[in-house]
Amino acid sequence: MGIRWRLALGLVLLLCWAGKALGAEGAPDCALSEPEQGTVVQIVDGETITLADGSTVRLVGAKAPRPPSGTAEVDWSFSQETRDALEALTKGKTVSLRFGGSRTDRHGYLMAQVFVEGGPSPLWVQGELVSEGLARVYSLSDNAACTDALLEREEEARTARRGLWASGFYRVRDAVAVDRMRRLTGTYQIVEGGVLEVADVQDWIFLNFDEDWRKDFTVVIDKSDAKAFAEAGLDLPSLEGKPIRVRGWMEWRYGPSITATHPEQIEVLEEDGTAKSPPSP
């Protein structure tokens, strides 16, 4: 057995032990639907499973690692380790699906929080993967339940440099390191830095991180989405001068940018880089 597979086996055993030890603390404190059960028969990838009834389920909120462009999934150890861990946690087991937003995506896949049944209490699969550094947190404007609970787990895993957080490929990007971001276009990224200016221009709000808006990293917000930020207690103009962390898909508009459609994409940080408690609406 090679070194890579010994490490993967050790990771699987660790996750299985963690699942048994987690107990009642495994359940997130967030609003979800009543559980709907099924049996996992196939692991499609590190964030997708198939049930016995033919349903395909995406583990909403936990984005599995993806290899660089041109690299096969099976050759990228991070994505393979996440897939192996998901298989060890769920394959052949009864799971409960609970929904906190839209039930399906554009492909017809179910978008659920997934819990493994059979132990003292249900084991939250997304929480396990994020805690072990095997997935990053993401959210959707119509499906953001449990994001705060996942972000707490992600921050702990990142601080401990678990899993993918030990790799520079998945590091949190510095908002002022613009030259390094062009090659990241089209990839999911987390960027951190101090907001220099909040600009209100026609139908858009721009969070700029440097003096030259034509070249700097920018967070772009459609004004039609601004109400959702305000309702969540996140006053966009007040972000000027504050450090934030934003996550989303990297684009290139003059300079690098991420479009934020909902408040869960932005974390307001303390001076030491840790996230502040979520604002009260």
Side-chain angles (χ1 to χ4, degrees):
M1 183 182 290
I3 294 176
R4 173 179 165 182
W5 291 107
R6 287 201 298 272
L7 290 172
L9 178 59
L11 177 61
V12 167
L13 293 174
L14 175 61
L15 280 170
C16 291
W17 172 86
K20 294 176 182 177
L22 203 56
E25 296 181 357
D29 183 17
C30 50
L32 296 171
S33 68
E34 291 299 312
E36 302 174 22
Q37 291 192 342
T39 301
V40 178
V41 295
Q42 183 182 3
I43 309 303
V44 179
D45 56 34
E47 59 188 45
T48 315
I49 57 178
T50 303
L51 304 183
D53 66 1
S55 301
T56 299
V57 183
R58 280 285 172 87
L59 275 64
V60 65
K63 179 163 290 298
R66 288 285 184 266
S69 178
T71 304
E73 193 87 18
V74 294
D75 295 331
W76 190 245
S77 61
F78 293 106
S79 55
Q80 186 62 42
E81 286 170 11
T82 301
R83 188 188 186 284
D84 290 345
L86 182 57
E87 182 171 21
L89 286 169
T90 66
K91 190 171 183 181
K93 297 180 181 178
T94 299
V95 296
S96 291
L97 310 182
R98 300 185 68 184
F99 299 91
S102 296
R103 286 179 61 92
T104 59
D105 66 8
R106 59 191 177 90
H107 303 291
Y109 296 166
L110 295 173
M111 301 287 283
Q113 298 295 331
V114 179
F115 300 83
V116 177
E117 302 291 347
S121 64
L123 172 66
W124 186 25
V125 177
Q126 279 97 322
E128 282 296 288
L129 296 178
V130 170
S131 289
E132 294 302 323
L134 297 174
R136 291 175 292 172
V137 178
Y138 80 98
S139 59
L140 302 169
S141 59
D142 60 354
N143 207 322
C146 305
T147 300
D148 288 343
L150 287 171
L151 287 173
E152 289 179 7
R153 290 174 180 243
E154 182 190 88
E155 185 157 345
E156 181 184 357
R158 186 168 56 245
T159 300
R161 295 179 59 79
R162 296 191 197 113
L164 58 82
W165 298 113
S167 168
F169 185 79
Y170 294 104
R171 69 183 180 276
V172 175
R173 307 291 171 172
D174 186 343
V176 299
V178 173
D179 292 342
R180 301 180 182 181
M181 293 187 192
R182 184 177 289 276
R183 61 185 176 83
L184 303 175
T185 303
T187 65
Y188 186 81
Q189 296 294 328
I190 304 172
V191 181
E192 188 174 299
V195 178
L196 182 68
E197 177 190 32
V198 178
D200 187 328
V201 182
Q202 297 182 348
D203 295 330
W204 303 93
I205 296 173
F206 300 97
L207 309 185
N208 295 314
F209 290 75
D210 207 342
E211 292 181 356
D212 189 349
W213 59 267
R214 296 175 182 83
K215 297 180 180 179
D216 74 334
F217 171 72
T218 305
V219 178
V220 181
I221 301 165
D222 191 315
K223 280 189 181 177
S224 64
D225 296 321
K227 182 180 178 181
F229 290 84
E231 290 176 346
L234 186 58
D235 178 52
L236 294 172
S238 74
L239 295 180
E240 193 164 294
K242 294 181 180 178
I244 68 169
R245 184 183 299 136
V246 61
R247 61 189 66 222
W249 295 94
M250 186 71 72
E251 303 169 273
W252 197 271
R253 302 177 180 179
Y254 297 104
S257 68
I258 287 176
T259 298
T261 61
H262 55 288
E264 288 81 4
Q265 286 179 261
I266 295 176
E267 297 170 84
V268 181
L269 306 179
E270 302 285 2
E271 292 301 325
D272 62 1
T274 58
K276 290 184 178 180
S277 300
S280 300

